[in-house]
Amino acid sequence: MDHSNTPNTYKLPESYGETKIVLVARDPNCLFAYWEISGIETRRFIDELGIEFWQKSSPALKVKNLSNGSNFIIVINDYANNWYIHVDNINSFYEVEYGRKISERFFIPIVSSNYVLTPSNSVSSSASCYFMDYRNFSKSGLEKESRYIYEMLDMESYYKNIGISSMEFAFNSKFEQCFGISSLELFGKE
């Protein structure tokens, strides 16, 4: 019997050989980024720009507030693979680029992250709740006839489990706030 993949002996790899950066909004004023820069990407940088640029530059994160067009750079070290980033603007879209800072004015990006929206730091002024009919939910998503959302203005309605938290419908212009499904009821638990 092969025990090499049992929970007690399996070890996660230190790297996956990918060039990737992922950004997550931890709270209204803090983002978290983690990344991996492959050796191939490092060699490509050196081949295209020269070893001098690599040696004279510093690894850095360029934090871009896409909502107001501002940005700032955080100089990091060569050993870091994640970073907590303090931001001042709530309800703003952010993106982070990992790259090399050549001088005070020059930054060369290597990889860009996904976009994230920092949440609000206060209670919502909207008392609306949105409910979705998920009885026709399948592996491919909601059936066409079930893709409508019920708006319930009464917070103390007979619906006790909101069950809505995904960004699936976030860009539907009909609703100010639209969410997908995450209720335990989907999994047969009531």
Side-chain angles (χ1 to χ4, degrees):
M1 181 178 207
D2 181 20
H3 294 286
S4 61
N5 287 329
T6 61
N8 294 334
T9 60
Y10 180 77
K11 296 187 189 238
L12 290 172
E14 289 185 27
S15 67
Y16 293 93
E18 297 178 5
T19 296
K20 183 177 185 178
I21 183 167
V22 177
L23 184 63
V24 179
R26 189 192 79 173
D27 60 46
N29 296 109
C30 187
L31 304 173
F32 178 70
Y34 63 94
W35 60 88
E36 178 181 350
I37 307 302
S38 71
I40 294 169
E41 197 65 43
T42 302
R43 284 189 295 281
R44 182 179 297 141
F45 183 98
I46 292 170
D47 290 345
E48 291 179 10
L49 299 173
I51 190 72
E52 300 81 25
F53 270 113
W54 185 265
Q55 291 172 339
K56 291 180 180 180
S57 65
S58 303
L61 299 173
K62 184 174 188 177
V63 182
K64 296 165 48 175
N65 183 328
L66 303 174
S67 297
N68 68 13
S70 65
N71 64 70
F72 61 92
I73 292 178
I74 302 171
V75 176
I76 58 175
N77 61 54
D78 283 311
Y79 305 105
N81 63 2
N82 64 75
W83 209 266
Y84 286 96
I85 303 164
H86 176 78
V87 292
D88 293 326
N89 301 101
I90 61 171
N91 296 324
S92 295
F93 281 98
Y94 283 92
E95 175 190 28
V96 171
E97 292 177 332
Y98 175 92
R100 304 291 291 190
K101 184 177 179 188
I102 306 297
S103 68
E104 287 303 314
R105 294 182 52 209
F106 294 105
F107 172 83
I108 299 175
I110 294 174
V111 64
S112 297
S113 74
N114 54 300
Y115 305 129
V116 296
L117 175 65
T118 54
S120 176
N121 64 354
S122 63
V123 176
S124 174
S125 61
S126 172
S128 298
C129 292
Y130 300 102
F131 295 91
M132 181 174 281
D133 183 357
Y134 53 83
R135 289 175 283 198
N136 295 326
F137 188 77
S138 67
K139 287 183 181 179
S140 62
L142 288 172
E143 306 278 331
K144 283 185 182 179
E145 62 271 6
S146 297
R147 291 184 185 185
Y148 51 89
I149 296 177
Y150 301 103
E151 183 175 351
M152 303 299 291
L153 295 176
D154 181 9
M155 291 293 286
E156 297 178 13
S157 68
Y158 64 91
Y159 292 101
K160 293 184 180 160
N161 295 321
I162 293 175
I164 299 172
S165 71
S166 171
M167 291 297 288
E168 280 179 55
F169 302 99
F171 297 101
N172 183 339
S173 61
K174 261 176 95 173
F175 301 100
E176 183 179 313
Q177 298 174 349
C178 294
F179 303 92
I181 302 169
S182 71
S183 174
L184 291 174
E185 293 178 36
L186 283 176
F187 304 102
K189 297 178 183 176
E190 294 184 21

